[in-house]
Amino acid sequence: MNPIGKKWCRIALFNLLLVASAGVLLRLKILTPLTWLNHKYMLHAHSHFAFAGWVSLFLMAAMIGNLPEKFSKGYERILIAYTITAYGMLFSFPFQGYGAVSIFFSTLSVLVSWWFAIRLWKSISEENICPVIVSNTKWSLAFLILSAVGTFYLAWLMANKVDNPSLYFGAVYFYLHFQYNGWFFFSIAALFLSRVSPSYREKIKRPLQLLALACIPAFFLSALWMRLPSWMYYTAVAAAIVQLFAFGQLLLLLVRDARNHIADKVVQTIWGLSLLALVIKFLLQSLSVFPSLSKYAFAYRPVVIGYLHLVLLGFVSLFQIGWLIKQGCLPTSNQKIPASVWAFVTGFVLTEGTLMAQGISSMFFVAIPHTNEMLLVAAIFLFAGIAWMNRQVWWRTNGSL
């Protein structure tokens, strides 16, 4: 990966520390008054900055890092502009929620992401890059642009004061679906493909194509809690079947052969944990075709939050941490996973376990004691692990960009 890509991946990791800081504050707010903090507003800041300042900035930087250095320099203006919009959201949402300033930076963030998508689309079309990597990159960029439809529709609903919770949540889930299952998934697929042999890329080409084709109709899986026409329900079922079939093929190939292409044992383990989170995500998503389970899942906030964190922390963030190690940005010793990463994994497992326990117990109207305290402990583990990783990354570069 070229120096520009490495630099901005390190900056994104620092942004993850700010995301974790906001997470700790949110957990503290539930247990203590903190009258100066508006929980809802801080939650908006936490989620928007996690998407823009950490995940998307990192993926953009990693994809740019795979370009020849002479072509990647022009992208730095885009990364700077995108980072400014991310910090604009971080520092405006806690004070006004969805207000003029935060909406301005949110809109600008979308426009800058389009700028990035259009430019990268042109770059990879002109360069002599493996067709499989190009196709996955273009799918990720197309879904990145498509996800903005949900954002703009949500803004229209709010501007026109449309009081319809179904439309509101539908717009949110549209955005989340094409971010999680489109932009995040296929950009990670493209990055992974860039580190394996050409013959192996051809093997996993077909299941990735099927997953891309199923991505758009699979949105209906996120809307089954609404009253949908029967054709939409059957479309969602068909998409779930195709996804399970394609992902099953992909999983078989990854489990059987991927270790032969990823020599680093530490990266193998971390990406294996990332893959495990992805397996659970696909299983949960497929189970949503059952109306009773779908209504239950969307009715309980801990289940929704647990699912979102499963993808964001488990699949995406663990892959990105493994990417940092593979690129030599995060040091390891004696082929062992750094303690900082284990702290992060511990926080992630505690978060998921507690949220899932909350959701299941709610189904039987049973309250589990001290769950909020457990979630605070989990948030502290995540913060500590990320802070430690930042120290290792920035110490390795002597604090320089």
Side-chain angles (χ1 to χ4, degrees), residues 224-277:
L224 292 178
W225 50 274
M226 301 170 67
R227 291 184 177 180
L228 297 178
S230 58
W231 71 268
M232 288 188 180
Y233 172 73
Y234 291 120
T235 299
V237 172
I241 293 171
V242 172
Q243 282 191 329
L244 269 182
F245 172 74
F247 184 70
Q249 285 187 317
L250 180 64
L251 181 62
L252 181 64
L253 290 167
L254 290 173
V255 171
R256 189 179 64 189
D257 298 327
R259 68 183 63 183
N260 298 325
H261 299 269
I262 307 298
D264 192 316
K265 299 295 183 183
V266 173
V267 176
Q268 277 186 23
T269 303
I270 295 173
W271 282 359
L273 293 173
S274 172
L275 180 62
L276 177 60

Coordinates of all heavy atoms in Angstrom, one line a residue, residues 224-277:
L224 N -39.4 -6.0 6.2 CA -40.5 -7.0 6.4 C -41.4 -6.6 7.6 O -42.5 -7.2 7.7 CB -39.9 -8.4 6.5 CG -39.3 -8.9 5.2 CD1 -38.7 -10.3 5.5 CD2 -40.3 -9.0 4.1
W225 N -40.9 -5.7 8.4 CA -41.7 -5.3 9.6 C -42.9 -4.4 9.1 O -43.8 -4.1 9.9 CB -40.8 -4.6 10.6 CG -40.0 -3.5 10.0 CD1 -38.8 -3.7 9.4 CD2 -40.3 -2.1 9.9 NE1 -38.3 -2.5 8.9 CE2 -39.2 -1.5 9.2 CE3 -41.4 -1.4 10.2 CZ2 -39.2 -0.2 8.9 CZ3 -41.4 0.0 9.9 CH2 -40.3 0.6 9.3
M226 N -42.7 -3.9 7.9 CA -43.8 -3.0 7.3 C -44.8 -3.9 6.6 O -44.6 -5.1 6.4 CB -43.2 -2.0 6.3 CG -42.1 -1.1 6.9 SD -41.3 -0.2 5.6 CE -42.6 0.9 5.0
R227 N -46.0 -3.3 6.3 CA -47.0 -4.0 5.5 C -46.6 -4.0 4.1 O -46.9 -3.0 3.4 CB -48.4 -3.5 5.8 CG -48.9 -3.7 7.2 CD -50.3 -3.2 7.4 NE -50.8 -3.5 8.7 CZ -52.0 -3.1 9.1 NH1 -52.8 -2.5 8.3 NH2 -52.4 -3.4 10.3
L228 N -46.0 -5.0 3.6 CA -45.5 -5.0 2.2 C -46.4 -5.8 1.3 O -47.0 -6.8 1.8 CB -44.1 -5.6 2.1 CG -43.0 -4.8 2.8 CD1 -41.7 -5.6 2.7 CD2 -42.8 -3.4 2.3
P229 N -46.5 -5.5 0.0 CA -47.3 -6.4 -0.9 C -46.6 -7.7 -1.0 O -45.4 -7.9 -0.7 CB -47.2 -5.6 -2.2 CG -46.8 -4.2 -1.9 CD -46.0 -4.3 -0.6
S230 N -47.4 -8.7 -1.3 CA -46.9 -10.1 -1.3 C -45.8 -10.3 -2.3 O -44.8 -11.0 -2.0 CB -48.1 -11.1 -1.7 OG -48.6 -10.7 -3.0
W231 N -45.8 -9.5 -3.4 CA -44.6 -9.7 -4.4 C -43.3 -9.2 -3.8 O -42.3 -9.8 -4.1 CB -44.9 -9.0 -5.7 CG -44.9 -7.5 -5.6 CD1 -46.0 -6.6 -5.4 CD2 -43.8 -6.6 -5.8 NE1 -45.6 -5.3 -5.4 CE2 -44.2 -5.3 -5.7 CE3 -42.4 -6.9 -6.0 CZ2 -43.4 -4.2 -5.8 CZ3 -41.6 -5.8 -6.1 CH2 -42.0 -4.5 -6.0
M232 N -43.4 -8.2 -2.9 CA -42.2 -7.8 -2.2 C -41.7 -8.8 -1.2 O -40.5 -9.0 -1.1 CB -42.4 -6.4 -1.5 CG -42.6 -5.2 -2.4 SD -42.7 -3.7 -1.5 CE -42.8 -2.5 -2.8
Y233 N -42.6 -9.4 -0.5 CA -42.2 -10.5 0.4 C -41.5 -11.6 -0.3 O -40.5 -12.1 0.1 CB -43.4 -11.0 1.2 CG -43.1 -12.2 2.1 CD1 -42.4 -12.0 3.2 CD2 -43.5 -13.5 1.7 CE1 -42.0 -13.1 4.0 CE2 -43.2 -14.6 2.5 CZ -42.5 -14.4 3.6 OH -42.1 -15.5 4.4
Y234 N -42.1 -12.1 -1.4 CA -41.5 -13.2 -2.1 C -40.2 -12.8 -2.8 O -39.3 -13.7 -3.0 CB -42.5 -13.7 -3.2 CG -43.7 -14.4 -2.5 CD1 -45.0 -13.9 -2.7 CD2 -43.5 -15.5 -1.7 CE1 -46.1 -14.6 -2.1 CE2 -44.6 -16.1 -1.1 CZ -45.9 -15.6 -1.3 OH -47.0 -16.3 -0.7
T235 N -40.1 -11.6 -3.2 CA -38.8 -11.1 -3.7 C -37.7 -11.1 -2.6 O -36.6 -11.5 -2.9 CB -38.9 -9.6 -4.2 OG1 -39.9 -9.6 -5.3 CG2 -37.6 -9.1 -4.7
A236 N -38.1 -10.7 -1.4 CA -37.2 -10.8 -0.3 C -36.8 -12.3 0.0 O -35.6 -12.5 0.3 CB -37.8 -10.2 1.0
V237 N -37.7 -13.2 0.0 CA -37.4 -14.6 0.2 C -36.5 -15.1 -0.9 O -35.5 -15.8 -0.6 CB -38.7 -15.4 0.2 CG1 -38.4 -16.9 0.3 CG2 -39.6 -15.0 1.4
A238 N -36.7 -14.8 -2.1 CA -35.9 -15.2 -3.2 C -34.5 -14.6 -3.0 O -33.5 -15.3 -3.3 CB -36.4 -14.8 -4.6
A239 N -34.4 -13.4 -2.6 CA -33.1 -12.7 -2.4 C -32.3 -13.4 -1.3 O -31.1 -13.6 -1.4 CB -33.2 -11.2 -2.1
A240 N -33.0 -13.8 -0.2 CA -32.4 -14.5 0.9 C -31.9 -15.8 0.5 O -30.8 -16.2 0.9 CB -33.4 -14.6 2.0
I241 N -32.6 -16.5 -0.4 CA -32.2 -17.9 -0.8 C -30.9 -17.7 -1.7 O -29.9 -18.5 -1.5 CB -33.3 -18.6 -1.6 CG1 -34.4 -18.9 -0.7 CG2 -32.8 -19.8 -2.3 CD1 -35.7 -19.4 -1.4
V242 N -30.9 -16.8 -2.6 CA -29.8 -16.5 -3.5 C -28.6 -16.2 -2.6 O -27.4 -16.6 -2.9 CB -30.1 -15.5 -4.5 CG1 -28.8 -15.1 -5.3 CG2 -31.1 -15.9 -5.5
Q243 N -28.8 -15.3 -1.7 CA -27.7 -14.8 -0.8 C -27.1 -16.0 0.0 O -25.9 -16.1 0.1 CB -28.1 -13.7 0.1 CG -28.2 -12.4 -0.5 CD -28.4 -11.3 0.6 OE1 -29.0 -11.5 1.6 NE2 -28.0 -10.1 0.3
L244 N -27.9 -16.8 0.5 CA -27.4 -18.0 1.3 C -26.7 -18.9 0.4 O -25.6 -19.4 0.8 CB -28.6 -18.7 2.0 CG -29.0 -18.2 3.4 CD1 -30.1 -19.1 3.9 CD2 -27.8 -18.3 4.3
F245 N -27.2 -19.2 -0.7 CA -26.5 -20.1 -1.7 C -25.1 -19.5 -2.1 O -24.1 -20.2 -2.0 CB -27.4 -20.3 -2.9 CG -26.7 -21.1 -4.0 CD1 -26.5 -22.4 -3.9 CD2 -26.2 -20.4 -5.2 CE1 -25.8 -23.1 -4.9 CE2 -25.6 -21.1 -6.2 CZ -25.4 -22.5 -6.1
A246 N -25.1 -18.3 -2.5 CA -23.9 -17.6 -2.9 C -22.9 -17.5 -1.8 O -21.7 -17.8 -1.9 CB -24.1 -16.2 -3.5
F247 N -23.4 -17.1 -0.6 CA -22.5 -16.9 0.5 C -21.9 -18.3 1.0 O -20.8 -18.4 1.5 CB -23.1 -16.2 1.7 CG -22.2 -15.9 2.8 CD1 -21.2 -15.0 2.7 CD2 -22.3 -16.6 4.0 CE1 -20.3 -14.8 3.8 CE2 -21.4 -16.4 5.1 CZ -20.4 -15.5 4.9
G248 N -22.8 -19.3 0.9 CA -22.3 -20.7 1.2 C -21.1 -21.1 0.4 O -20.2 -21.7 0.9
Q249 N -21.3 -20.8 -0.9 CA -20.2 -21.1 -1.9 C -18.9 -20.3 -1.5 O -17.8 -20.9 -1.5 CB -20.6 -20.8 -3.3 CG -21.5 -21.8 -3.9 CD -21.7 -21.4 -5.4 OE1 -21.9 -20.3 -5.8 NE2 -21.7 -22.5 -6.3
L250 N -19.1 -19.0 -1.2 CA -18.0 -18.2 -0.9 C -17.3 -18.6 0.4 O -16.1 -18.7 0.5 CB -18.5 -16.7 -0.7 CG -17.4 -15.7 -0.4 CD1 -16.4 -15.5 -1.5 CD2 -18.1 -14.3 -0.1
L251 N -18.1 -19.0 1.4 CA -17.6 -19.4 2.7 C -16.8 -20.7 2.5 O -15.7 -20.8 3.1 CB -18.8 -19.7 3.7 CG -18.4 -20.1 5.1 CD1 -17.5 -19.0 5.8 CD2 -19.6 -20.4 5.9
L252 N -17.3 -21.6 1.7 CA -16.6 -22.9 1.5 C -15.2 -22.6 0.9 O -14.2 -23.2 1.3 CB -17.4 -23.8 0.6 CG -16.8 -25.2 0.3 CD1 -16.7 -26.0 1.5 CD2 -17.6 -25.9 -0.8
L253 N -15.1 -21.8 -0.1 CA -13.9 -21.4 -0.7 C -12.9 -20.7 0.2 O -11.7 -20.9 0.2 CB -14.1 -20.6 -2.0 CG -14.8 -21.3 -3.2 CD1 -15.3 -20.3 -4.2 CD2 -13.8 -22.3 -3.8
L254 N -13.5 -19.8 1.0 CA -12.6 -19.1 2.0 C -12.0 -20.0 3.1 O -10.9 -19.9 3.4 CB -13.4 -17.9 2.6 CG -13.8 -16.8 1.7 CD1 -14.7 -15.8 2.5 CD2 -12.6 -16.0 1.2
V255 N -12.9 -20.8 3.6 CA -12.4 -21.7 4.7 C -11.4 -22.7 4.1 O -10.4 -23.1 4.8 CB -13.6 -22.4 5.3 CG1 -13.2 -23.5 6.3 CG2 -14.5 -21.4 6.0
R256 N -11.6 -23.2 2.9 CA -10.8 -24.3 2.4 C -9.4 -23.7 1.9 O -8.4 -24.4 2.1 CB -11.5 -24.9 1.2 CG -10.8 -26.2 0.7 CD -11.7 -26.8 -0.4 NE -11.8 -25.9 -1.6 CZ -12.6 -26.1 -2.6 NH1 -13.4 -27.2 -2.6 NH2 -12.6 -25.3 -3.6
D257 N -9.5 -22.6 1.2 CA -8.3 -22.1 0.5 C -7.6 -20.8 1.0 O -6.5 -20.5 0.6 CB -8.6 -22.0 -1.0 CG -9.0 -23.3 -1.6 OD1 -8.5 -24.3 -1.2 OD2 -9.9 -23.2 -2.5
A258 N -8.4 -20.0 1.7 CA -7.9 -18.6 2.0 C -6.6 -18.6 2.7 O -5.7 -17.8 2.5 CB -8.9 -17.8 2.7
R259 N -6.4 -19.6 3.7 CA -5.2 -19.6 4.5 C -3.9 -19.8 3.6 O -2.8 -19.5 4.1 CB -5.3 -20.7 5.6 CG -5.3 -22.1 5.1 CD -5.5 -23.1 6.2 NE -6.8 -22.9 6.8 CZ -7.2 -23.6 7.9 NH1 -6.4 -24.5 8.4 NH2 -8.4 -23.4 8.4
N260 N -4.1 -20.5 2.5 CA -3.0 -20.7 1.6 C -2.5 -19.4 0.9 O -1.4 -19.3 0.4 CB -3.3 -21.7 0.5 CG -3.7 -23.1 1.1 OD1 -3.1 -23.5 2.1 ND2 -4.6 -23.8 0.5
H261 N -3.4 -18.4 0.9 CA -3.1 -17.1 0.3 C -2.7 -16.0 1.2 O -2.2 -15.0 0.9 CB -4.2 -16.7 -0.6 CG -4.6 -17.7 -1.7 ND1 -4.0 -17.6 -3.0 CD2 -5.4 -18.8 -1.7 CE1 -4.5 -18.6 -3.7 NE2 -5.3 -19.3 -3.0
I262 N -3.1 -16.2 2.5 CA -2.8 -15.2 3.6 C -1.7 -15.9 4.5 O -2.1 -16.6 5.4 CB -4.0 -14.8 4.4 CG1 -5.1 -14.4 3.4 CG2 -3.7 -13.7 5.3 CD1 -4.8 -13.2 2.6
A263 N -0.5 -15.5 4.3 CA 0.6 -16.2 5.0 C 0.7 -15.8 6.5 O 1.0 -16.7 7.3 CB 1.9 -15.9 4.3
D264 N 0.3 -14.6 6.8 CA 0.5 -14.1 8.2 C -0.6 -14.7 9.1 O -1.8 -14.6 8.9 CB 0.3 -12.6 8.2 CG 0.7 -11.9 9.5 OD1 0.3 -12.5 10.5 OD2 1.4 -10.9 9.5
K265 N -0.1 -15.5 10.1 CA -1.0 -16.2 11.0 C -1.9 -15.3 11.8 O -3.1 -15.6 12.1 CB -0.2 -17.1 11.9 CG 0.6 -18.2 11.2 CD -0.3 -19.2 10.5 CE 0.5 -20.3 9.8 NZ -0.3 -21.3 9.0
V266 N -1.4 -14.1 12.2 CA -2.1 -13.2 13.0 C -3.3 -12.6 12.1 O -4.4 -12.6 12.6 CB -1.2 -12.0 13.5 CG1 -2.1 -10.9 14.1 CG2 -0.2 -12.6 14.4
V267 N -3.0 -12.3 10.9 CA -4.0 -11.7 10.0 C -5.1 -12.8 9.7 O -6.3 -12.5 9.7 CB -3.4 -11.2 8.7 CG1 -4.5 -10.8 7.7 CG2 -2.5 -10.1 9.0
Q268 N -4.6 -14.1 9.5 CA -5.5 -15.2 9.3 C -6.6 -15.3 10.5 O -7.8 -15.4 10.2 CB -4.8 -16.5 9.3 CG -4.2 -16.8 7.9 CD -3.5 -18.2 8.0 OE1 -3.9 -19.1 8.8 NE2 -2.6 -18.5 7.1
T269 N -6.1 -15.2 11.7 CA -6.9 -15.3 12.9 C -7.9 -14.1 13.0 O -9.1 -14.3 13.2 CB -6.1 -15.4 14.2 OG1 -5.2 -16.4 14.1 CG2 -7.0 -15.5 15.4
I270 N -7.4 -12.9 12.8 CA -8.3 -11.7 12.9 C -9.3 -11.7 11.8 O -10.5 -11.4 12.0 CB -7.4 -10.4 12.9 CG1 -6.6 -10.4 14.1 CG2 -8.3 -9.2 12.8 CD1 -5.6 -9.3 14.2
W271 N -8.9 -12.0 10.6 CA -9.9 -12.1 9.5 C -10.8 -13.3 9.6 O -11.9 -13.2 9.1 CB -9.1 -12.1 8.1 CG -8.6 -10.8 7.7 CD1 -8.8 -9.6 8.4 CD2 -7.9 -10.4 6.5 NE1 -8.2 -8.5 7.7 CE2 -7.6 -9.0 6.6 CE3 -7.4 -11.2 5.4 CZ2 -6.9 -8.4 5.6 CZ3 -6.7 -10.5 4.4 CH2 -6.5 -9.1 4.5
G272 N -10.3 -14.3 10.3 CA -11.2 -15.4 10.6 C -12.4 -15.0 11.5 O -13.5 -15.4 11.3
L273 N -12.0 -14.2 12.5 CA -13.0 -13.7 13.4 C -14.0 -12.7 12.7 O -15.2 -12.7 12.9 CB -12.4 -12.9 14.6 CG -11.6 -13.8 15.6 CD1 -10.8 -12.9 16.6 CD2 -12.5 -14.8 16.3
S274 N -13.4 -12.0 11.8 CA -14.3 -11.1 11.0 C -15.2 -11.9 10.1 O -16.4 -11.6 10.0 CB -13.4 -10.2 10.1 OG -14.1 -9.5 9.1
L275 N -14.7 -13.0 9.6 CA -15.6 -13.9 8.7 C -16.7 -14.5 9.6 O -17.8 -14.7 9.1 CB -14.7 -14.9 8.1 CG -15.4 -15.9 7.2 CD1 -16.1 -15.2 6.0 CD2 -14.5 -17.0 6.6
L276 N -16.3 -14.9 10.8 CA -17.3 -15.5 11.7 C -18.5 -14.5 12.0 O -19.7 -14.9 12.0 CB -16.7 -15.9 13.0 CG -17.6 -16.5 14.1 CD1 -18.3 -17.8 13.6 CD2 -16.8 -16.8 15.4
A277 N -18.1 -13.3 12.2 CA -19.2 -12.3 12.4 C -20.0 -12.1 11.1 O -21.3 -12.0 11.2 CB -18.5 -10.9 12.7

